[in-house]
Amino acid sequence: MLCEPFLTTRSEAGWDIPLLVWRAERPLLAVGSAPLGGGIGVRGWVLNATVPMSYHRDDPAAHLAELADGLDLGGPGVGLLTGVDVTEVVRRTDGGVRVWATVGLGTPVWAAAPEPAPPAAPEPAPPAQRVGTVNIVAYVPERLGDAALVNAVATATEAKAQAIWELGLPATGTPTDAVTVLCPADGDPAPYGGPRSAWGAPLARAVHAAVRSGGAGTVVPWSDRVAG
């Protein structure tokens, strides 16, 4: 079982910056695209950390490992970063599936787009208010087989894209989105995770509801809120 996350903060550059931490009652099987703990493996915790829009570190996995160490999170886990204030996490449940999403849609993009031409001059940095990361953490209460785990990530991503389209954005996501799906590490593995499977269907509905709700309003980056 993945417990409800608790909210805490870390001191950094004179700020108290929020983090969400999930602890598993026992190690869970996980699949995902997180900077820390991505891939497929057994994980004991999940961390979703807010960062300021001025964030410039190029070693996110190492940074997340430092944050986990500071929180006494032992063993392998999953770490995510976002410019969104993680206190605004959206929770949804459906048929035993639990989903948590932090939704920033300020940099919407199509997954497939023409290769850009080389710029004639350096492009200006995007404005700070264009926070754009959707982090999705999902728990399925039955063991999924490896193929079903991979399919579950695709299902969650499709549901996210559907919600974004329904919000009226010409996009499938943002360039920095991440998905993590967790399930028990033991038991007979369910073979399927697609959107019409026993667990994929409620997963899709919960992700869709969370992203659509989280993206319905204006998301102000945490660092802009603190500064302003």
Side-chain angles (χ1 to χ4, degrees):
M1 181 71 174
L2 189 65
C3 297
E4 191 68 20
F6 68 86
L7 179 68
T8 185
T9 61
R10 69 186 188 276
S11 295
E12 193 171 290
W15 287 339
D16 290 328
I17 308 178
L19 308 94
L20 278 180
V21 182
W22 292 255
R23 293 182 185 270
E25 294 178 351
R26 62 177 65 182
L28 299 171
L29 186 60
V31 62
S33 58
L36 177 67
I40 296 180
V42 175
R43 309 286 185 257
W45 48 266
V46 179
L47 169 65
N48 192 10
T50 293
V51 293
M53 294 303 291
S54 58
Y55 187 80
H56 61 277
R57 289 188 60 160
D58 59 2
D59 58 346
H63 185 199
L64 284 159
E66 293 167 10
L67 297 180
D69 185 62
L71 293 166
D72 293 324
L73 297 173
V78 175
L80 308 131
L81 296 171
T82 179
V84 176
D85 185 341
V86 295
T87 63
E88 297 181 351
V89 64
V90 179
R91 301 164 172 83
R92 291 293 184 272
T93 61
D94 193 303
V97 173
R98 306 172 74 193
V99 166
W100 300 265
T102 50
V103 184
L105 295 173
T107 54
V109 297
W110 291 115
E115 184 176 358
E123 295 183 359
Q129 67 268 22
R130 290 175 61 81
V131 56
T133 297
V134 180
N135 282 341
I136 296 168
V137 176
Y139 172 74
V140 176
E142 183 177 335
R143 166 78 158 88
L144 300 178
D146 286 356
L149 281 169
V150 174
N151 206 355
V153 171
T155 294
T157 303
E158 291 172 8
K160 175 198 72 177
Q162 179 182 341
I164 292 170
W165 180 82
E166 291 176 1
L167 288 167
L169 292 174
T172 52
T174 88
T176 54
D177 294 351
V179 177
T180 298
V181 179
L182 304 103
C183 69
D186 51 12
D188 293 332
Y192 306 115
R196 293 298 175 267
S197 65
W199 291 113
L203 172 64
R205 290 192 295 264
V207 169
H208 172 265
V211 174
R212 179 154 181 171
S213 175
T218 300
V219 176
V220 178
W222 171 86
S223 51
D224 283 10
R225 182 176 301 160
V226 171

